[in-house]
Amino acid sequence: IVYNADQSSSELLMLPASARAMPFGMQNGRGRAINIQPPPSGTCFDLVTPVGNRTVSTRFIGDFNVMNWTAAAALAVLEGIS
């Protein structure tokens, strides 16, 4: 299960004990986007995950796109994709 840990309702998520979970976000989560900088032609940020950190530079702008990148990375980590 990959979920947005920045949403206040995420604390209400009842996960089965057997569930594999990877919370993500810009403030909270095991997968996080930090140091977000919107250059004129896109967005740059540091992606922090339990398996390592990467700098991401994309032509997409907006926090919602940063969250999409972070969610995709969280799913990759959860599934063991490097």
Side-chain angles (χ1 to χ4, degrees), residues 53-67:
N53 304 340
R54 298 255 186 212
T55 298
V56 176
S57 183
T58 175
R59 291 187 288 168
F60 296 109
I61 59 172
D63 286 347
F64 65 95
N65 281 309
V66 172
M67 292 298 282

Side-chain angles (χ1 to χ4, degrees), residues 4 12 26-27 39 48 54 62 70 73:
N4 185 342
L12 302 175
M26 294 188 337
Q27 307 293 316
V48 178
R54 298 255 186 212
T70 308

Side-chain angles (χ1 to χ4, degrees), residues 11-28:
E11 63 192 35
L12 302 175
L13 186 63
M14 301 298 257
L15 298 174
S18 62
R20 294 181 309 136
M22 180 64 179
F24 69 91
M26 294 188 337
Q27 307 293 316
N28 301 298

